């Protein structure tokens, strides 16, 4: 391909030379004819200088100063033009020179191709295979050899906001018992009994295809929750010791904007094979659902909005102290002015305090969260536990209790 391009350029040069020669011949003939027709004798020169030429009038003084006689007009005659035979001879000589240049270019290209082939054989097998599979690489073998030893290292795949729990393992502790505003029967958990259950679960990145209305979209973006050993443990009580129950793997999903003040939620479930009973508290057979706050912290190193508000409140407090001192040491009129400024600052502090109260929900204190091993996501220390109850065509979720979680380091 490179050879063909160079030959095409050489052919273009050859054509340009021939055209240039013809142009030179035509220009020479035109100039000679022009001078032969207009500079022939002193009489013709006098006629030119005494006539009007469209826009310019040539004065006789110019004629007298520049062209005095026929002898002086001979200075403007162009030398004798070349003959056709001489031009053809020059063209033939140019063709021979161009042919020699083409032969020399071919010889140098062949030498360069041999050198490149020698370099390709000494490169790594990976480089030679990649160059043979692409026509563009064949045209550019040198960069392939240059970068053969600079293979980039594999980077860790970045996670999206909803995938920060992928491949993490957590210990989940359920505390089942009567909670305020539950729809469970009045006698359920009325004596204050509680069932404490714990298990380890891995948040798998594998897609869940079992539909459940507890998830947004049924199973859209839902993943499999692997229960370690498919077993849960019920803690001891006064009447009985530790008991274990078999459960099935469940599912999990992060829903963005479904929590209080449009925060994110983590939803997951496990499926028990039998009813678990202790006193007047029981867990029905089937799926047990859990949900809690989900707060990603992937933007590390930046000051949170809450911290900025706290800094602003501190500045307002300092300004209020300064204004109070000025008011105490001023007269009546100045005191009114300082009081007005203090009132405006107090109103501003109230607005910031209200925003901070909202941030306690949207950006809770880190002490209230349990973080993953990478620290890029936090779960609220406590979440809700419920079960699904069908009342005719209506589906209800009744509160069973609450749960807590803690990440287990797998490394």
């Amino acid at each position: 391909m490179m050879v063909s391009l160079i030959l095409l350029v050489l052919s273009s040069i050859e054509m340009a030379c021939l055209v240039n020669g013809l142009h030179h011949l035509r220009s020479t003939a035109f100039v000679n004819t022009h001078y032969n027709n207009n500079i022939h004798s002193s009489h013709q020169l006098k006629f030119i200088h005494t006539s009007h030429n469209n826009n310019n009038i040539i004065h006789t003084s110019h004629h007298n100063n520049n062209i005095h006689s026929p002898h002086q007009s001979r200075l403007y005659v162009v030398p004798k033009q070349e003959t056709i035979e001489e031009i053809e001879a020059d063209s033939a000589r140019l063709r021979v020179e161009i042919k020699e240049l083409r032969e020399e270019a071919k010889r140098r290209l062949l030498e360069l191709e041999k050198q490149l082939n020698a370099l390709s054989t000494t490169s790594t097998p990976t480089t030679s295979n990649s160059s043979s599979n692409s026509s563009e690489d064949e045209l550019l073998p040198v960069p392939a050899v240059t970068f053969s030893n600079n293979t980039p290292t594999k980077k860790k795949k970045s996670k999206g906001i909803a995938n920060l729990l992928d491949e993490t393992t957590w210990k989940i502790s359920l505390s089942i018992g009567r909670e305020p505003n539950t729809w469970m029967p009045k006698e359920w958990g009325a004596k204050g009994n509680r069932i404490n259950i714990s298990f380890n679960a891995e948040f798998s990145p594998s897609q869940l295809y079992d539909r459940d209305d507890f998830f947004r979209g049924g199973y859209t973006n839902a993943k499999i929750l692997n229960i370690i050993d498919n077993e849960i443990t019920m803690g001891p009580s006064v009447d009985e010791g530790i008991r274990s129950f078999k459960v099935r793997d469940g599912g999990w999903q992060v829903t963005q904007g479904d929590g209080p003040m449009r925060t994110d939620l983590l939803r997951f479930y496990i499926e028990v094979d039998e009813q678990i009973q202790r006193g007047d508290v029981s867990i029905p057979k089937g799926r047990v659902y859990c949900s809690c706050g989900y707060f990603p912290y992937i933007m590390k190193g930046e000051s949170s909005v809450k911290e900025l508000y706290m800094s602003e409140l501190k500045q307002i407090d300092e300004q209020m102290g300064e204004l109070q001192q000025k008011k105490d040491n001023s007269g009546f009129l100045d005191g009114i002015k300082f009081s007005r400024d203090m009132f405006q600052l107090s109103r501003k502090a109230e607005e910031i305090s209200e925003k901070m109260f909202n941030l306690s929900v949207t950006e809770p204190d880190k002490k209230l969260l349990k973080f993953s091993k990478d620290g890029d996501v936090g779960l609220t220390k406590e979440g809700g536990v419920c079960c699904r109850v069908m009342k005719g065509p209506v589906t209800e979720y009744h509160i069973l209790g609450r749960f807590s979680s803690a990440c287990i380091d797998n490394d």
Side-chain angles (χ1 to χ4, degrees):
M1 183 67 180
M2 187 181 294
V3 176
S4 301
L5 289 174
I6 294 178
L7 293 178
L8 180 60
V9 172
L10 293 176
S11 300
S12 301
I13 294 173
E14 179 182 1
M15 183 59 69
C17 292
L18 293 177
V19 172
N20 188 30
L22 294 175
H23 179 71
H24 175 70
L25 174 61
R26 293 181 63 187
S27 301
T28 305
F30 172 78
V31 172
N32 288 337
T33 303
H34 175 76
Y35 274 84
N36 289 336
N37 291 335
N38 293 282
I39 305 177
H40 182 66
S41 64
S42 61
H43 302 287
Q44 201 164 11
L45 288 172
K46 291 178 183 180
F47 174 76
I48 293 174
H49 285 277
T50 57
S51 62
H52 292 74
N53 185 12
N54 293 337
N55 298 324
N56 298 323
I57 299 177
I58 304 176
H59 300 282
T60 55
S61 60
H62 179 78
H63 164 70
N64 294 331
N65 294 332
N66 295 284
I67 305 177
H68 299 284
S69 65
H71 301 285
Q72 196 170 8
S73 64
R74 293 172 187 171
L75 296 173
Y76 294 91
V77 178
V78 176
K80 182 180 179 181
Q81 68 179 23
E82 296 179 349
T83 62
I84 300 298
E85 291 78 7
E86 292 174 344
I87 293 175
E88 291 179 350
D90 290 339
S91 299
R93 185 174 63 257
L94 287 174
R95 289 191 183 94
V96 173
E97 292 177 358
I98 291 172
K99 184 177 180 181
E100 292 176 353
L101 289 174
R102 293 177 64 183
E103 296 295 332
E104 179 66 18
K106 287 181 181 180
R107 184 182 62 80
R108 293 186 179 183
L109 286 174
L110 291 175
E111 292 179 357
L112 179 61
E113 186 176 2
K114 291 179 181 179
Q115 294 176 3
L116 294 178
N117 290 335
L119 289 174
S120 299
T121 55
T122 58
S123 63
T124 60
T126 303
T127 303
S128 62
N129 291 335
S130 61
S131 63
S132 62
N133 292 332
S134 174
S135 58
E136 294 183 358
D137 290 341
E138 290 175 359
L139 295 176
L140 303 172
V142 175
V145 175
T146 303
F147 295 102
S148 60
N149 295 327
N150 294 333
T151 303
T153 58
K154 185 177 180 181
K155 295 183 179 180
K156 183 179 179 181
K157 185 179 179 181
S158 60
K159 294 182 179 180
I161 291 178
N163 301 325
L164 299 176
L165 289 179
D166 286 0
E167 299 178 346
T168 62
T169 304
W170 294 68
K171 181 178 181 179
I172 309 297
S173 300
L174 307 181
S175 178
I176 308 300
R178 192 161 192 89
E179 297 288 338
N181 302 320
T182 183
W183 290 353
M184 295 297 287
K186 292 182 179 180
E187 63 275 9
W188 185 90
K191 297 180 180 180
N193 294 324
R194 302 197 74 88
I195 299 177
N196 297 317
I197 291 177
S198 62
F199 59 92
N200 295 335
E202 179 193 9
F203 289 87
S204 166
S206 302
Q207 174 68 41
L208 175 70
Y209 295 101
D210 189 5
R211 180 180 179 84
D212 195 298
D213 293 335
F214 185 70
F215 293 147
R216 180 193 291 180
Y219 56 84
T220 304
N221 298 325
K223 305 174 185 179
I224 297 175
L225 181 70
N226 293 323
I227 310 301
I228 306 301
D229 299 327
N230 291 107
E231 187 176 81
I232 62 175
T233 302
M234 183 171 66
S237 66
V238 178
D239 299 331
E240 58 182 338
I242 297 175
R243 292 181 59 187
S244 297
F245 299 87
K246 287 295 182 182
V247 295
R248 302 179 186 178
D249 290 339
W252 70 282
Q253 181 191 58
V254 173
T255 56
Q256 299 181 18
D258 282 355
M261 300 187 68
R262 299 194 61 80
T263 55
D264 299 340
L265 284 182
L266 168 65
R267 304 171 185 262
F268 65 91
Y269 71 84
I270 62 174
E271 189 166 357
V272 297
D273 292 335
E274 59 180 298
Q275 178 175 294
I276 302 175
Q277 182 83 34
R278 174 170 286 175
D280 58 352
V281 178
S282 63
I283 301 175
K285 176 183 177 181
R287 293 181 176 179
V288 178
Y289 300 97
C290 302
S291 61
C292 67
Y294 179 93
F295 297 92
Y297 280 81
I298 57 177
M299 302 300 290
K300 298 180 179 178
E302 297 185 3
S303 298
S304 66
V305 179
K306 186 176 180 180
E307 291 173 349
L308 294 177
Y309 284 156
M310 291 180 66
S311 176
E312 193 169 356
L313 280 177
K314 183 178 180 180
Q315 293 178 0
I316 290 176
D317 185 64
E318 294 175 354
Q319 292 176 5
M320 290 283 285
E322 294 175 358
L323 289 174
Q324 185 64 47
Q325 291 181 358
K326 292 180 180 179
K327 180 182 177 181
D328 295 340
N329 299 325
S330 64
F332 176 75
L333 295 178
D334 291 336
I336 294 176
K337 179 182 177 181
F338 292 137
S339 297
R340 184 189 60 187
D341 295 341
M342 293 173 64
F343 176 75
Q344 292 177 351
L345 285 176
S346 64
R347 291 289 303 272
K348 186 176 181 181
E350 290 177 1
E351 294 176 357
I352 296 175
S353 298
E354 184 178 357
K355 292 179 180 179
M356 288 187 62
F357 175 78
N358 296 334
L359 281 177
S360 64
V361 178
T362 59
E363 190 179 331
D365 194 307
K366 293 183 179 181
K367 296 179 181 179
L368 303 177
L369 302 177
K370 291 291 187 177
F371 284 88
S372 63
K373 60 181 180 180
D374 293 332
D376 51 9
V377 63
L379 306 180
T380 51
K381 284 187 175 181
E382 287 193 346
V385 183
C386 61
C387 64
R388 181 168 54 192
V389 177
M390 298 298 299
K391 291 188 175 180
V394 180
T395 301
E396 295 180 351
Y397 291 92
H398 295 186
I399 299 174
L400 291 177
R402 56 185 182 270
F403 80 94
S404 60
S405 61
C407 185
I408 300 175
D409 192 352
N410 294 326
D411 296 339

